[in-house]
């Protein structure tokens, strides 16, 4: 199927979004606050408020954090060296920090993919 309009490179736009920049041009920030995307890119004018990532970034973040922590958590929990309260405290802090770090990047990836693949619902 041939798409009309400009060519949109998927991986280039995903890489720009991972850095928090506009997936189209990379010339300006994609987010005006932690997770709120700009209405339109000040550099290229692309309208980002129309691209909705919905729950995808949260699911991707949980998937990544779970896979990163599981190989470390299971052996530590099985050896019973740490008190349970300390293990839970460390895991809660570390997983929360990792989620806060990854969530905007995952949202940027979803926005970039939706834009590059022209998968917007509107
Ligand atoms: Zn732009």
């Amino acid at each position: 199927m041939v798409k009309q309009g400009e060519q949109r490179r998927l991986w280039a736009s995903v890489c720009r979004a991972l850095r928090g920049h506009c997936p189209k041009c990379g010339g300006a920030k994609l987010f005006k606050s932690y997770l709120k995307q700009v209405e339109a890119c000040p550099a290229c004018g692309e309208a980002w408020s129309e691209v909705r990532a919905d729950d995808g970034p949260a699911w991707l973040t949980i998937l990544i954090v779970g896979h990163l922590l599981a190989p470390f958590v299971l052996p530590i929990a099985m050896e019973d060296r740490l008190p349970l309260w300390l293990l839970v405290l460390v895991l809660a802090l570390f997983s929360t920090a990792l989620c806060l770090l990854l969530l905007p990047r995952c949202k940027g990836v979803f926005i970039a993919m939706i834009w590059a693949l022209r998968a917007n619902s509107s």
Side-chain angles (χ1 to χ4, degrees):
M1 186 169 113
V2 177
K3 301 268 182 172
Q4 299 272 330
E6 83 220 72
Q7 181 182 6
R8 296 178 178 180
R9 295 177 27 212
L10 177 64
W11 294 115
S13 62
V14 166
C15 289
R16 290 181 195 122
L18 277 172
R19 293 191 310 264
H21 293 135
C22 170
K24 182 178 181 182
C25 69
K29 295 283 185 189
L30 178 60
F31 299 107
K32 61 183 172 187
S33 62
Y34 179 64
L35 285 178
K36 182 72 178 169
Q37 67 231 44
V38 294
E39 298 293 321
C41 175
C44 67
E46 185 71 27
W48 294 115
S49 62
E50 299 168 3
V51 180
R52 295 186 42 145
D54 293 333
D55 294 338
W59 285 102
L60 182 60
T61 300
I62 291 168
L63 183 75
I64 293 170
V65 170
H67 281 85
L68 288 176
L69 291 183
F72 300 103
V73 171
L74 290 176
I76 293 171
M78 297 297 278
E79 286 192 21
D80 211 18
R81 286 187 181 171
L82 292 176
L84 185 61
W85 68 268
L86 182 60
L87 181 63
V88 169
L89 179 68
V90 169
L91 282 176
L93 292 175
F94 193 68
S95 61
T96 300
L98 205 52
C99 285
L100 291 174
L101 180 75
L102 289 175
L103 188 55
R105 286 152 183 85
C106 290
K107 185 169 182 176
V109 167
F110 264 78
I111 290 171
M113 290 180 74
I114 290 168
W115 175 79
L117 298 173
R118 300 172 200 271
N120 203 356
S121 59
S122 60

